Amino acid sequence: MLASTALVLFMTPGLALFYGGMVRSKSVLNMMMMSLSAMGLIGVLWVLYGYSIAFGNDVGAGLLGNPFEAWGLKGLFVGSYTGDEVSYVLSADIPALVFVAFQATFAIITVALISGAVADRMKFGAWLLFAGLWATIVYFPVAHWVFAFSNDDAGVVGGWIANDLAAIDFAGGTAVHINAGVAALALAIVLGKRKGWPREPMRPHNLTLVMLGAGILWFGWFGFNAGSALGANGTAAFAMVNTIVATCAAMLGWLATERVRDGKATSLGAASGIVAGLVAITPSCASISPMGAILLGAIAGVVCALAVGLKFRFGYDDSLDVVGVHLVGGILGTVLIGFLADPGSPAGVAGLFYGGGVDQLWRQVVGALAVLLYSGILTFVIALIVKAIFGGKIRVSDEDEVTGIDESEHAETAYDFSSHRGLAGVAGTPRPDAATAGAQSVVAGKEG
């Protein structure tokens, strides 16, 4: 679990690289800062009250954990850590603090995912305020709905989706991907379109970073999915295999779609297909067979590749396709459990294709819709509140957007070539160093 926690935390720098490579060079630092700042802000909020809201004893109708029960993690670190009698608080079979840290990484990356929809134009201060409010009002309660399971022996009551509805979401298709995807859509609508979009081409400036980021995300996702088994066991192995094959199939599905539609299979498509497959298998990795995972991944690769074009049809500027990949992929992965759930899997539930009827299907649909509506509506309200606090100006000026948000918000640039230009343009041709000069002397001697 310690290793899985580190893997999931590593996903956020991976996301920063993935998103950073997809924007223009004048925005890469700001894009990466939005992910990294989520690590700092949400990590602190999680310890203060986030964990308590998400996993504290329910205070009513399965909607919210008690925010004061584990404020500052009180009561979770008491015990003896040394000596003959070692005892400390447990969560299932692992130390409670390990579970706290593991779930903190989920909260961090969920918030960071949203940033891809508002690239190039949102003020950094407004982003931080939005991120803190959104995590508090949306993510922490939704995590309680989905991840907080009741424990009758301990007298703990959890969230309504996990316990009353009994929808399956092993690692976060609803709480993470649908949640972040619809929030990205709402925030992008409030923020407005980038200057020049969609008339001007806004191509990725560094596809090498994109592919590196996608690889890191895949690597870290094993902690995300397999780690959600909360142990090194058969369920973790099952989830890991499904995470591999669904992602492979999704990448192939995305590339095939590009080849048929555009005539070329692209590196950006391969990277995007990887993420689409990871998103889709997240809720279902312990409930469908490996063959089902291949089918799910292939469907997600094709559908998400087509879904990224919806922003041009409907006119919302989702800069880095958070909606097309995370919202659509999250819905697919969550709902298709109702069809593909295999009774031989660790979840032990039969979907429609395995003779289970529509019982699990309607539960999956209700869970997905509940998170979509809650997050979408409240995100829209939160975005308007942040906009009002900032005097109606939560995006940088047109001039700063054209110049580059890196310079206007951070006084930095990712690629500084001025020193090289200065040597060539002001001081003339640089003097060769000693090694070069020596080599030239040798050549001159031979020529003589």
Side-chain angles (χ1 to χ4, degrees):
M1 288 309 302
L2 290 172
S4 292
T5 300
L7 284 170
V8 182
L9 187 64
F10 192 40
M11 288 171 66
T12 300
L15 182 72
L17 290 169
F18 182 74
Y19 279 173
M22 289 177 70
V23 297
R24 292 169 289 179
S25 59
K26 62 184 179 180
S27 305
V28 56
L29 293 179
N30 175 260
M31 191 71 261
M32 298 180 79
M33 276 290 289
M34 294 176 89
S35 289
L36 294 179
S37 64
M39 298 176 75
L41 176 62
I42 307 306
V44 171
L45 296 183
W46 185 252
V47 169
L48 291 177
Y49 56 81
Y51 177 83
S52 192
I53 292 175
F55 293 98
N57 203 18
D58 189 73
V59 294
L63 297 176
L64 192 72
N66 185 347
F68 305 105
E69 180 179 327
W71 176 274
L73 305 185
K74 67 178 180 179
L76 296 180
F77 52 83
V78 295
S80 171
Y81 294 85
T82 59
D84 296 331
E85 296 184 6
V86 176
S87 62
Y88 37 75
V89 181
L90 296 177
S91 223
D93 295 325
I94 63 174
L97 291 181
V98 175
F99 185 71
V100 169
F102 180 64
Q103 287 293 337
T105 62
F106 279 63
I108 287 168
I109 196 166
T110 304
V111 174
L113 287 173
I114 301 170
S115 65
V118 296
D120 298 329
R121 60 201 190 276
M122 188 171 187
K123 289 182 177 179
F124 187 62
W127 161 250
L128 287 176
L129 178 58
F130 169 84
L133 291 174
W134 188 86
T136 301
I137 298 171
V138 179
Y139 180 78
F140 299 157
V142 170
H144 179 75
W145 300 0
V146 177
F147 295 142
F149 289 90
S150 298
N151 186 333
D152 294 335
D153 294 336
V156 174
V157 179
W160 73 276
I161 288 180
N163 300 283
D164 301 325
L165 182 64
I168 296 173
D169 186 356
F170 190 71
T174 54
V176 176
H177 298 293
I178 293 176
N179 202 2
V182 71
L185 175 60
L187 183 59
I189 290 172
V190 172
L191 198 63
K193 304 172 185 177
R194 286 169 291 177
K195 189 175 179 61
W197 186 88
R199 298 185 309 276
E200 299 177 10
M202 298 179 181
R203 300 186 182 91
H205 89 284
N206 192 328
L207 288 169
T208 306
L209 289 184
V210 175
M211 298 192 76
L212 175 61
I216 292 174
L217 284 170
W218 197 348
F219 176 67
W221 223 287
F222 292 122
F224 205 74
N225 287 357
S228 292
L230 301 184
N233 51 41
T235 302
F238 195 96
M240 175 169 273
V241 169
N242 280 346
T243 301
I244 293 173
V245 297
T247 308
C248 293
M251 176 173 58
L252 295 177
W254 192 299
L255 292 176
T257 302
E258 282 190 327
R259 184 69 175 84
V260 171
R261 182 187 60 193
D262 308 321
K264 301 289 183 181
T266 68
S267 59
L268 179 60
S272 299
I274 286 171
V275 176
L278 292 168
V279 169
I281 197 60
T282 291
S284 55
C285 56
S287 58
I288 65 176
S289 69
M291 289 299 293
I294 292 174
L295 176 60
L296 172 63
I299 293 171
V302 173
V303 173
C304 290
L306 298 173
V308 297
L310 293 175
K311 62 184 180 182
F312 299 106
R313 179 181 295 272
F314 294 105
Y316 59 88
D317 185 7
D318 171 20
S319 309
L320 306 184
D321 301 319
V322 184
V323 175
V325 174
H326 293 276
L327 177 56
V328 174
I331 291 173
L332 281 173
T334 300
V335 173
L336 286 179
I337 291 173
F339 295 93
L340 300 175
D342 188 329
S345 69
V349 173
L352 182 63
F353 294 165
Y354 288 83
V358 298
D359 181 66
Q360 193 61 43
L361 177 59
W362 76 262
R363 299 175 191 276
Q364 299 303 123
V365 171
V366 170
L369 285 176
V371 173
L372 190 151
L373 291 173
Y374 179 82
S375 180
I377 293 170
L378 284 184
T379 301
F380 195 79
V381 173
I382 292 168
L384 291 177
I385 291 172
V386 173
K387 187 174 183 179
I389 291 173
F390 276 77
K393 299 177 181 179
I394 59 173
R395 57 183 293 165
V396 298
S397 66
D398 289 350
E399 181 181 354
D400 287 339
E401 189 175 334
V402 171
T403 302
I405 196 169
D406 284 356
E407 291 190 9
S408 65
E409 290 294 294
H410 307 291
E412 295 175 307
T413 180
Y415 308 102
D416 186 359
F417 301 110
S418 59
S419 58
H420 299 284
R421 289 196 298 269
L423 285 172
V426 177
T429 303
R431 183 179 65 84
D433 59 22
T436 305
Q440 289 174 342
S441 298
V442 172
V443 172
K446 287 181 179 180
E447 289 177 347

